Amino acid sequence: MQDAGFVRQAFAGIASRYVLANHVLSLGIDCLWRRTTARRIQQLKPARVLDLATGSGDLTQAVQAACPDAKILGADFSVPMMREAQKRGLRALVAADGMNLPFQDASFDVLTVAFGLRNMASWPTALQEMSRVLRPGGRLFVLDFSIPRMPGLRQAYLFYLKHIMTRIAGWITGKREAYVYLCGSIEKFPSGKDMNALICANGFQTATATPLTFGIASLYEAVK
């Protein structure tokens, strides 16, 4: 279980520098990951998309660019983060907690969550809510960090997470403690087959995992 109060406070504290920190810490590769996700969604030609934990709206923008005819709604429980999304021109936004979404059953064709499920209070409860608001046959896309399995790269990446990334992020945002939590949560978050099993145990029929950039991130696609 994640501490929802701490997570809310942490994101409020880094909201204004969140996008810059992401781009610096990933060397801009996070933009490529979002475009990859958007291209997958484009093939489905969805009418209604929910971007949960939308934050500053990076994935919402990528999906809107790929699917200009779709109605895309961004939802997040951090109002300061959504204010950053508004500054970037996003208007279809709603304050919502992933544990209790304010939408009717089967409301969306596609639901996306990028770097957000990991921070929700209960992963199973959040996934069940995502399944509820998706129509039968709807698709879930989860984009998040993962730990590379290649031995040498794995150790190097863990060292980067624990000793380098937190310092750089702290310098950029002035909130190192927030990134100590965020970086630590990556190692605890299930990935690969474990994440597929978690998704399928909570409202989805099938799930596949696609490693991105040598497994530093993974894209999960599931069918309700």
Side-chain angles (χ1 to χ4, degrees), residues 90-223:
L90 299 181
R91 294 291 177 264
L93 300 166
V94 61
D97 191 326
M99 301 296 98
N100 185 23
L101 295 172
F103 308 114
Q104 295 182 350
D105 296 357
S107 295
F108 300 96
D109 303 307
V110 167
L111 189 151
T112 62
V113 54
F115 312 105
L117 175 59
R118 173 165 45 91
N119 300 307
M120 294 184 185
S122 167
W123 303 328
T125 301
L127 287 166
Q128 290 163 20
E129 272 293 273
M130 294 176 200
S131 176
R132 181 184 66 79
V133 302
L134 277 170
R135 64 167 176 77
R139 301 293 183 94
L140 169 69
F141 291 85
V142 177
L143 174 63
D144 216 309
F145 290 109
S146 50
I147 304 298
R149 296 190 176 186
M150 189 184 303
L153 181 58
R154 179 183 179 87
Q155 279 78 19
Y157 183 62
L158 287 172
F159 181 84
Y160 172 73
L161 279 180
K162 296 175 181 179
H163 302 289
I164 299 176
M165 185 174 178
T166 52
R167 293 187 181 186
I168 296 174
W171 176 72
I172 293 172
T173 66
K175 299 289 183 179
R176 183 178 178 183
E177 68 280 2
Y179 281 89
V180 169
Y181 156 75
L182 290 171
C183 293
S185 69
I186 293 171
E187 192 172 3
K188 298 174 184 177
F189 195 55
S191 61
K193 293 181 179 179
D194 292 335
M195 176 55 74
N196 288 342
L198 178 64
I199 292 172
C200 289
N202 290 284
F204 294 88
Q205 295 180 358
T206 62
T208 59
T210 302
L212 304 173
T213 315
F214 306 106
I216 291 173
S218 293
L219 176 61
Y220 304 92
E221 181 176 352
V223 180

Side-chain angles (χ1 to χ4, degrees), residues 46-94:
R48 289 179 56 83
V49 178
L50 174 63
D51 182 30
L52 185 58
T54 193
S56 51
D58 298 75
L59 184 56
T60 300
Q61 286 187 319
V63 175
Q64 190 70 79
C67 307
D69 296 329
K71 183 176 181 180
I72 303 174
L73 177 64
D76 203 297
F77 82 157
S78 174
V79 173
M81 288 294 289
M82 287 195 294
R83 289 199 183 108
E84 296 303 311
Q86 288 179 323
K87 291 178 184 177
R88 305 175 76 185
L90 299 181
R91 294 291 177 264
L93 300 166
V94 61

